[in-house]
PDB file of all heavy atoms in Angstrom:
ATOM      1  N   GLY A 180    -160.979   5.949 -73.335  1.00  0.00           N
ATOM      2  CA  GLY A 180    -160.528   7.267 -72.898  1.00  0.00           C
ATOM      3  C   GLY A 180    -159.698   7.978 -73.950  1.00  0.00           C
ATOM      4  O   GLY A 180    -159.811   9.183 -74.142  1.00  0.00           O
ATOM      5  N   LYS A 181    -158.854   7.228 -74.641  1.00  0.00           N
ATOM      6  CA  LYS A 181    -157.963   7.811 -75.641  1.00  0.00           C
ATOM      7  C   LYS A 181    -158.661   8.042 -76.988  1.00  0.00           C
ATOM      8  O   LYS A 181    -158.358   8.993 -77.689  1.00  0.00           O
ATOM      9  CB  LYS A 181    -156.753   6.903 -75.825  1.00  0.00           C
ATOM     10  CG  LYS A 181    -155.637   7.514 -76.609  1.00  0.00           C
ATOM     11  CD  LYS A 181    -154.343   6.761 -76.343  1.00  0.00           C
ATOM     12  CE  LYS A 181    -153.210   7.329 -77.128  1.00  0.00           C
ATOM     13  NZ  LYS A 181    -152.418   8.299 -76.453  1.00  0.00           N
ATOM     14  N   TYR A 182    -159.604   7.164 -77.329  1.00  0.00           N
ATOM     15  CA  TYR A 182    -160.282   7.236 -78.622  1.00  0.00           C
ATOM     16  C   TYR A 182    -161.802   7.134 -78.452  1.00  0.00           C
ATOM     17  O   TYR A 182    -162.427   6.186 -78.939  1.00  0.00           O
ATOM     18  CB  TYR A 182    -159.790   6.115 -79.544  1.00  0.00           C
ATOM     19  CG  TYR A 182    -158.298   6.088 -79.722  1.00  0.00           C
ATOM     20  CD1 TYR A 182    -157.514   5.155 -79.044  1.00  0.00           C
ATOM     21  CD2 TYR A 182    -157.666   7.001 -80.561  1.00  0.00           C
ATOM     22  CE1 TYR A 182    -156.135   5.134 -79.202  1.00  0.00           C
ATOM     23  CE2 TYR A 182    -156.289   6.988 -80.721  1.00  0.00           C
ATOM     24  CZ  TYR A 182    -155.536   6.051 -80.029  1.00  0.00           C
ATOM     25  OH  TYR A 182    -154.175   6.036 -80.186  1.00  0.00           O
ATOM     26  N   PRO A 183    -162.433   8.098 -77.813  1.00  0.00           N
ATOM     27  CA  PRO A 183    -163.882   7.992 -77.576  1.00  0.00           C
ATOM     28  C   PRO A 183    -164.700   7.955 -78.864  1.00  0.00           C
ATOM     29  O   PRO A 183    -165.806   7.407 -78.885  1.00  0.00           O
ATOM     30  CB  PRO A 183    -164.207   9.230 -76.738  1.00  0.00           C
ATOM     31  CG  PRO A 183    -163.097  10.186 -77.003  1.00  0.00           C
ATOM     32  CD  PRO A 183    -161.884   9.350 -77.302  1.00  0.00           C
ATOM     33  N   GLU A 184    -164.153   8.478 -79.938  1.00  0.00           N
ATOM     34  CA  GLU A 184    -164.893   8.516 -81.206  1.00  0.00           C
ATOM     35  C   GLU A 184    -165.038   7.131 -81.838  1.00  0.00           C
ATOM     36  O   GLU A 184    -165.809   6.960 -82.787  1.00  0.00           O
ATOM     37  CB  GLU A 184    -164.210   9.476 -82.191  1.00  0.00           C
ATOM     38  CG  GLU A 184    -162.872   9.015 -82.734  1.00  0.00           C
ATOM     39  CD  GLU A 184    -161.670   9.244 -81.810  1.00  0.00           C
ATOM     40  OE1 GLU A 184    -161.837   9.703 -80.669  1.00  0.00           O
ATOM     41  OE2 GLU A 184    -160.547   8.959 -82.244  1.00  0.00           O
ATOM     42  N   LEU A 185    -164.329   6.123 -81.323  1.00  0.00           N
ATOM     43  CA  LEU A 185    -164.439   4.772 -81.877  1.00  0.00           C
ATOM     44  C   LEU A 185    -165.678   4.022 -81.391  1.00  0.00           C
ATOM     45  O   LEU A 185    -166.050   3.009 -81.964  1.00  0.00           O
ATOM     46  CB  LEU A 185    -163.189   3.947 -81.539  1.00  0.00           C
ATOM     47  CG  LEU A 185    -161.885   4.402 -82.181  1.00  0.00           C
ATOM     48  CD1 LEU A 185    -160.737   3.487 -81.777  1.00  0.00           C
ATOM     49  CD2 LEU A 185    -162.013   4.463 -83.695  1.00  0.00           C
ATOM     50  N   TRP A 186    -166.307   4.465 -80.328  1.00  0.00           N
ATOM     51  CA  TRP A 186    -167.515   3.833 -79.792  1.00  0.00           C
ATOM     52  C   TRP A 186    -167.302   2.326 -79.624  1.00  0.00           C
ATOM     53  O   TRP A 186    -167.993   1.513 -80.217  1.00  0.00           O
ATOM     54  CB  TRP A 186    -168.713   4.096 -80.703  1.00  0.00           C
ATOM     55  CG  TRP A 186    -169.071   5.532 -80.812  1.00  0.00           C
ATOM     56  CD1 TRP A 186    -168.596   6.424 -81.711  1.00  0.00           C
ATOM     57  CD2 TRP A 186    -169.960   6.260 -79.969  1.00  0.00           C
ATOM     58  NE1 TRP A 186    -169.138   7.657 -81.495  1.00  0.00           N
ATOM     59  CE2 TRP A 186    -169.988   7.578 -80.418  1.00  0.00           C
ATOM     60  CE3 TRP A 186    -170.741   5.909 -78.874  1.00  0.00           C
ATOM     61  CZ2 TRP A 186    -170.750   8.559 -79.816  1.00  0.00           C
ATOM     62  CZ3 TRP A 186    -171.507   6.892 -78.276  1.00  0.00           C
ATOM     63  CH2 TRP A 186    -171.502   8.194 -78.753  1.00  0.00           C
ATOM     64  N   LEU A 187    -166.328   1.969 -78.802  1.00  0.00           N
ATOM     65  CA  LEU A 187    -165.957   0.573 -78.630  1.00  0.00           C
ATOM     66  C   LEU A 187    -166.813  -0.151 -77.601  1.00  0.00           C
ATOM     67  O   LEU A 187    -167.271   0.443 -76.637  1.00  0.00           O
ATOM     68  CB  LEU A 187    -164.494   0.478 -78.196  1.00  0.00           C
ATOM     69  CG  LEU A 187    -163.471   0.984 -79.198  1.00  0.00           C
ATOM     70  CD1 LEU A 187    -162.088   1.024 -78.581  1.00  0.00           C
ATOM     71  CD2 LEU A 187    -163.485   0.136 -80.448  1.00  0.00           C
ATOM     72  N   ASN A 188    -167.000  -1.432 -77.818  1.00  0.00           N
ATOM     73  CA  ASN A 188    -167.612  -2.346 -76.855  1.00  0.00           C
ATOM     74  C   ASN A 188    -166.614  -3.456 -76.581  1.00  0.00           C
ATOM     75  O   ASN A 188    -165.891  -3.886 -77.487  1.00  0.00           O
ATOM     76  CB  ASN A 188    -168.896  -2.977 -77.402  1.00  0.00           C
ATOM     77  CG  ASN A 188    -170.085  -2.089 -77.218  1.00  0.00           C
ATOM     78  OD1 ASN A 188    -170.062  -1.134 -76.455  1.00  0.00           O
ATOM     79  ND2 ASN A 188    -171.150  -2.394 -77.935  1.00  0.00           N
ATOM     80  N   LEU A 189    -166.604  -3.951 -75.362  1.00  0.00           N
ATOM     81  CA  LEU A 189    -165.755  -5.067 -74.981  1.00  0.00           C
ATOM     82  C   LEU A 189    -166.524  -6.366 -75.153  1.00  0.00           C
ATOM     83  O   LEU A 189    -167.667  -6.478 -74.715  1.00  0.00           O
ATOM     84  CB  LEU A 189    -165.313  -4.910 -73.520  1.00  0.00           C
ATOM     85  CG  LEU A 189    -164.582  -6.095 -72.895  1.00  0.00           C
ATOM     86  CD1 LEU A 189    -163.249  -6.341 -73.601  1.00  0.00           C
ATOM     87  CD2 LEU A 189    -164.353  -5.837 -71.411  1.00  0.00           C
ATOM     88  N   HIS A 190    -165.899  -7.336 -75.786  1.00  0.00           N
ATOM     89  CA  HIS A 190    -166.477  -8.680 -75.904  1.00  0.00           C
ATOM     90  C   HIS A 190    -165.440  -9.665 -75.374  1.00  0.00           C
ATOM     91  O   HIS A 190    -164.292  -9.658 -75.815  1.00  0.00           O
ATOM     92  CB  HIS A 190    -166.806  -9.007 -77.355  1.00  0.00           C
ATOM     93  CG  HIS A 190    -167.251 -10.421 -77.548  1.00  0.00           C
ATOM     94  ND1 HIS A 190    -168.521 -10.845 -77.252  1.00  0.00           N
ATOM     95  CD2 HIS A 190    -166.589 -11.516 -77.969  1.00  0.00           C
ATOM     96  CE1 HIS A 190    -168.615 -12.127 -77.492  1.00  0.00           C
ATOM     97  NE2 HIS A 190    -167.461 -12.566 -77.929  1.00  0.00           N
ATOM     98  N   VAL A 191    -165.830 -10.521 -74.424  1.00  0.00           N
ATOM     99  CA  VAL A 191    -164.940 -11.543 -73.873  1.00  0.00           C
ATOM    100  C   VAL A 191    -165.552 -12.901 -74.199  1.00  0.00           C
ATOM    101  O   VAL A 191    -166.737 -13.133 -73.945  1.00  0.00           O
ATOM    102  CB  VAL A 191    -164.772 -11.380 -72.343  1.00  0.00           C
ATOM    103  CG1 VAL A 191    -163.864 -12.461 -71.782  1.00  0.00           C
ATOM    104  CG2 VAL A 191    -164.205  -9.996 -72.019  1.00  0.00           C
ATOM    105  N   SER A 192    -164.734 -13.784 -74.769  1.00  0.00           N
ATOM    106  CA  SER A 192    -165.240 -15.106 -75.139  1.00  0.00           C
ATOM    107  C   SER A 192    -165.574 -15.939 -73.911  1.00  0.00           C
ATOM    108  O   SER A 192    -165.081 -15.688 -72.820  1.00  0.00           O
ATOM    109  CB  SER A 192    -164.197 -15.845 -75.981  1.00  0.00           C
ATOM    110  OG  SER A 192    -163.066 -16.168 -75.202  1.00  0.00           O
ATOM    111  N   ARG A 193    -166.411 -16.930 -74.131  1.00  0.00           N
ATOM    112  CA  ARG A 193    -166.767 -17.878 -73.068  1.00  0.00           C
ATOM    113  C   ARG A 193    -165.843 -19.087 -73.181  1.00  0.00           C
ATOM    114  O   ARG A 193    -165.416 -19.446 -74.266  1.00  0.00           O
ATOM    115  CB  ARG A 193    -168.210 -18.342 -73.228  1.00  0.00           C
ATOM    116  CG  ARG A 193    -169.206 -17.203 -73.144  1.00  0.00           C
ATOM    117  CD  ARG A 193    -170.580 -17.737 -73.408  1.00  0.00           C
ATOM    118  NE  ARG A 193    -170.619 -18.421 -74.705  1.00  0.00           N
ATOM    119  CZ  ARG A 193    -171.665 -18.497 -75.483  1.00  0.00           C
ATOM    120  NH1 ARG A 193    -172.789 -17.951 -75.121  1.00  0.00           N
ATOM    121  NH2 ARG A 193    -171.621 -19.126 -76.625  1.00  0.00           N
ATOM    122  N   ILE A 194    -165.592 -19.744 -72.077  1.00  0.00           N
ATOM    123  CA  ILE A 194    -164.751 -20.936 -72.073  1.00  0.00           C
ATOM    124  C   ILE A 194    -165.496 -22.153 -72.611  1.00  0.00           C
ATOM    125  O   ILE A 194    -164.906 -23.056 -73.176  1.00  0.00           O
ATOM    126  CB  ILE A 194    -164.182 -21.221 -70.656  1.00  0.00           C
ATOM    127  CG1 ILE A 194    -163.160 -22.364 -70.676  1.00  0.00           C
ATOM    128  CG2 ILE A 194    -165.283 -21.531 -69.667  1.00  0.00           C
ATOM    129  CD1 ILE A 194    -161.878 -22.025 -71.347  1.00  0.00           C
ATOM    130  N   TYR A 195    -166.810 -22.169 -72.481  1.00  0.00           N
ATOM    131  CA  TYR A 195    -167.552 -23.366 -72.894  1.00  0.00           C
ATOM    132  C   TYR A 195    -168.096 -23.204 -74.305  1.00  0.00           C
ATOM    133  O   TYR A 195    -168.387 -22.112 -74.767  1.00  0.00           O
ATOM    134  CB  TYR A 195    -168.685 -23.683 -71.923  1.00  0.00           C
ATOM    135  CG  TYR A 195    -169.643 -22.535 -71.692  1.00  0.00           C
ATOM    136  CD1 TYR A 195    -170.745 -22.349 -72.496  1.00  0.00           C
ATOM    137  CD2 TYR A 195    -169.421 -21.622 -70.661  1.00  0.00           C
ATOM    138  CE1 TYR A 195    -171.612 -21.291 -72.292  1.00  0.00           C
ATOM    139  CE2 TYR A 195    -170.283 -20.559 -70.452  1.00  0.00           C
ATOM    140  CZ  TYR A 195    -171.371 -20.403 -71.272  1.00  0.00           C
ATOM    141  OH  TYR A 195    -172.218 -19.354 -71.071  1.00  0.00           O
ATOM    142  N   ARG A 196    -168.181 -24.321 -74.991  1.00  0.00           N
ATOM    143  CA  ARG A 196    -168.724 -24.354 -76.348  1.00  0.00           C
ATOM    144  C   ARG A 196    -170.246 -24.456 -76.284  1.00  0.00           C
ATOM    145  O   ARG A 196    -170.797 -24.962 -75.318  1.00  0.00           O
ATOM    146  CB  ARG A 196    -168.213 -25.574 -77.103  1.00  0.00           C
ATOM    147  CG  ARG A 196    -166.742 -25.645 -77.297  1.00  0.00           C
ATOM    148  CD  ARG A 196    -166.410 -26.893 -78.127  1.00  0.00           C
ATOM    149  NE  ARG A 196    -165.040 -27.303 -77.970  1.00  0.00           N
ATOM    150  CZ  ARG A 196    -164.024 -26.781 -78.627  1.00  0.00           C
ATOM    151  NH1 ARG A 196    -164.220 -25.809 -79.469  1.00  0.00           N
ATOM    152  NH2 ARG A 196    -162.797 -27.229 -78.431  1.00  0.00           N
ATOM    153  N   ASP A 197    -170.881 -24.038 -77.343  1.00  0.00           N
ATOM    154  CA  ASP A 197    -172.326 -24.230 -77.489  1.00  0.00           C
ATOM    155  C   ASP A 197    -172.567 -25.733 -77.640  1.00  0.00           C
ATOM    156  O   ASP A 197    -172.005 -26.376 -78.542  1.00  0.00           O
ATOM    157  CB  ASP A 197    -172.806 -23.473 -78.722  1.00  0.00           C
ATOM    158  CG  ASP A 197    -174.300 -23.517 -78.916  1.00  0.00           C
ATOM    159  OD1 ASP A 197    -174.941 -24.497 -78.490  1.00  0.00           O
ATOM    160  OD2 ASP A 197    -174.842 -22.568 -79.497  1.00  0.00           O
ATOM    161  N   ALA A 198    -173.364 -26.313 -76.758  1.00  0.00           N
ATOM    162  CA  ALA A 198    -173.600 -27.760 -76.770  1.00  0.00           C
ATOM    163  C   ALA A 198    -174.203 -28.239 -78.089  1.00  0.00           C
ATOM    164  O   ALA A 198    -174.052 -29.400 -78.452  1.00  0.00           O
ATOM    165  CB  ALA A 198    -174.516 -28.147 -75.604  1.00  0.00           C
ATOM    166  N   ARG A 199    -174.859 -27.368 -78.817  1.00  0.00           N
ATOM    167  CA  ARG A 199    -175.445 -27.759 -80.100  1.00  0.00           C
ATOM    168  C   ARG A 199    -174.396 -27.910 -81.192  1.00  0.00           C
ATOM    169  O   ARG A 199    -174.662 -28.435 -82.258  1.00  0.00           O
ATOM    170  CB  ARG A 199    -176.481 -26.719 -80.550  1.00  0.00           C
ATOM    171  CG  ARG A 199    -177.637 -26.576 -79.584  1.00  0.00           C
ATOM    172  CD  ARG A 199    -178.451 -25.363 -79.920  1.00  0.00           C
ATOM    173  NE  ARG A 199    -177.618 -24.177 -79.697  1.00  0.00           N
ATOM    174  CZ  ARG A 199    -178.012 -22.933 -79.925  1.00  0.00           C
ATOM    175  NH1 ARG A 199    -179.213 -22.694 -80.404  1.00  0.00           N
ATOM    176  NH2 ARG A 199    -177.218 -21.921 -79.684  1.00  0.00           N
ATOM    177  N   ARG A 200    -173.168 -27.428 -80.927  1.00  0.00           N
ATOM    178  CA  ARG A 200    -172.127 -27.428 -81.960  1.00  0.00           C
ATOM    179  C   ARG A 200    -170.846 -28.106 -81.487  1.00  0.00           C
ATOM    180  O   ARG A 200    -169.750 -27.669 -81.837  1.00  0.00           O
ATOM    181  CB  ARG A 200    -171.835 -25.986 -82.369  1.00  0.00           C
ATOM    182  CG  ARG A 200    -173.032 -25.318 -83.010  1.00  0.00           C
ATOM    183  CD  ARG A 200    -172.690 -23.903 -83.451  1.00  0.00           C
ATOM    184  NE  ARG A 200    -173.844 -23.284 -84.052  1.00  0.00           N
ATOM    185  CZ  ARG A 200    -174.725 -22.549 -83.395  1.00  0.00           C
ATOM    186  NH1 ARG A 200    -174.586 -22.330 -82.113  1.00  0.00           N
ATOM    187  NH2 ARG A 200    -175.742 -22.008 -84.014  1.00  0.00           N
ATOM    188  N   LEU A 201    -170.942 -29.137 -80.713  1.00  0.00           N
ATOM    189  CA  LEU A 201    -169.744 -29.815 -80.198  1.00  0.00           C
ATOM    190  C   LEU A 201    -169.026 -30.628 -81.269  1.00  0.00           C
ATOM    191  O   LEU A 201    -167.803 -30.648 -81.302  1.00  0.00           O
ATOM    192  CB  LEU A 201    -170.103 -30.714 -79.014  1.00  0.00           C
ATOM    193  CG  LEU A 201    -170.517 -29.979 -77.747  1.00  0.00           C
ATOM    194  CD1 LEU A 201    -170.873 -30.975 -76.656  1.00  0.00           C
ATOM    195  CD2 LEU A 201    -169.430 -29.043 -77.273  1.00  0.00           C
ATOM    196  N   PHE A 202    -169.767 -31.326 -82.120  1.00  0.00           N
ATOM    197  CA  PHE A 202    -169.195 -32.114 -83.217  1.00  0.00           C
ATOM    198  C   PHE A 202    -168.010 -32.968 -82.765  1.00  0.00           C
ATOM    199  O   PHE A 202    -166.943 -32.957 -83.367  1.00  0.00           O
ATOM    200  CB  PHE A 202    -168.781 -31.209 -84.383  1.00  0.00           C
ATOM    201  CG  PHE A 202    -169.891 -30.329 -84.876  1.00  0.00           C
ATOM    202  CD1 PHE A 202    -169.814 -28.955 -84.726  1.00  0.00           C
ATOM    203  CD2 PHE A 202    -171.023 -30.880 -85.458  1.00  0.00           C
ATOM    204  CE1 PHE A 202    -170.855 -28.142 -85.172  1.00  0.00           C
ATOM    205  CE2 PHE A 202    -172.056 -30.068 -85.898  1.00  0.00           C
ATOM    206  CZ  PHE A 202    -171.969 -28.700 -85.754  1.00  0.00           C
ATOM    207  N   GLY A 203    -168.179 -33.670 -81.655  1.00  0.00           N
ATOM    208  CA  GLY A 203    -167.137 -34.565 -81.172  1.00  0.00           C
ATOM    209  C   GLY A 203    -166.065 -33.907 -80.319  1.00  0.00           C
ATOM    210  O   GLY A 203    -165.180 -34.578 -79.809  1.00  0.00           O
TER     211      GLY A 203
END
Side-chain angles (χ1 to χ4, degrees):
K181 192 161 179 94
Y182 305 103
E184 70 279 4
L185 294 181
W186 297 90
L187 296 172
N188 277 344
L189 171 64
H190 173 79
V191 179
S192 68
R193 299 176 304 210
I194 187 70
Y195 55 89
R196 298 183 201 278
D197 184 331
R199 299 168 295 178
R200 296 182 180 92
L201 291 179
F202 306 114

